[in-house]
């Protein structure tokens, strides 16, 4: 979305996207979050249970890490472990830099980088924003913000599930374009599931999706050209 065919980052489009996302977030907080949330909550939330379990940030990170380990093992076998050997005479920082240079453009590591960086960004944003989760609204009719809170109940925005899922699936779509319709459809379903499951407001998902898309595009653009 924010990359050219030769992996140039479209910074102006990212800026425009950020403005649109900010406008949607403000509109949601003051207008459409509650009605959309109430509409999506009308169904049976149990059907979204496995979306909650399968597409969590932890699962994405461990799955991407597992794929990266498999890549390293295959690379080690093919090269007789020459690029993984860290001899005593080699400085650790040199080894790590060499390792990064040899793996940074592999599909497994691009997905891992996207998911991991997105997870870190989202965690920081959750604490800074401190938005109350919809459970307060459903139980007490209350909404609000408690900035700089580390409590789960006040870490609603942005949605971590939506962010890491968009980061991983957008990256997969870029690496395997023929699967892009499937990856985007799944990413959107995961986002909707967070609201239908009662875990997030619609704008939490919108914000998380935007972060995931931007991080995936920036990582693909930077590492593919470096």
């Amino acid at each position: 979305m924010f990359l050219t065919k030769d992996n140039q980052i479209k910074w102006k489009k990212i800026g425009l996207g950020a403005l649109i996302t900010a406008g949607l977030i403000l509109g949601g907080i003051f207008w459409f979050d509650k009605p959309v949330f109430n509409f999506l909550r009308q169904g049976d939330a149990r059907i979204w249970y496995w979306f909650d379990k399968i597409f969590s940030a932890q699962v994405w990170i461990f799955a991407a890490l597992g794929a990266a380990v498999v890549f390293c093992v295959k690379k080690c076998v093919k090269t007789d472990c020459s690029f993984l050997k860290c001899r005593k005479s080699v400085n650790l920082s040199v080894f790590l830099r060499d390792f990064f240079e040899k793996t940074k453009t592999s599909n497994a590591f691009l997905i891992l980088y996207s998911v991991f960086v997105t997870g870190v960004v989202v965690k920081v944003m959750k604490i800074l924003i401190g938005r109350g989760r919809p459970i307060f609204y459903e139980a007490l009719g209350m909404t609000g913000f408690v900035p700089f809170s580390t409590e789960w109940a006040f870490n609603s925005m942005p949605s971590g599930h939506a962010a890491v899922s968009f980061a991983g699936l957008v990256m997969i779509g870029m690496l395997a374009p023929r699967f892009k319709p499937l990856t985007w459809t799944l990413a959107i379903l995961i986002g909707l599931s967070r609201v239908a499951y009662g875990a997030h407001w619609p704008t939490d998902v919108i914000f998380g999706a935007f972060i995931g898309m931007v991080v995936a595009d920036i990582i693909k653009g930077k590492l593919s050209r470096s």
Side-chain angles (χ1 to χ4, degrees), residues 10 13 20 23 44 50 69-70 74 80 90 101 106 117 121 138 152 157-158 164 172 177 182 199 212:
K10 301 176 182 177
K13 275 199 171 183
I20 293 173
D44 187 350
W50 289 109
V69 169
V70 170
K74 291 177 66 177
D80 193 28
V90 178
E101 287 297 323
S106 69
V117 172
V121 171
E138 292 189 296
W152 173 87
M157 178 181 280
V164 296
I172 292 172
L182 178 61

Side-chain angles (χ1 to χ4, degrees), residues 152-164:
W152 173 87
F154 296 102
N155 285 172
S156 189
M157 178 181 280
S159 166
H161 281 66
V164 296

Side-chain angles (χ1 to χ4, degrees), residues 192-209:
L192 290 174
S193 75
R194 303 310 293 148
V195 183
Y197 195 63
H200 286 284
W201 297 102
T203 48
D204 299 342
V205 171
I206 292 172
F207 192 16

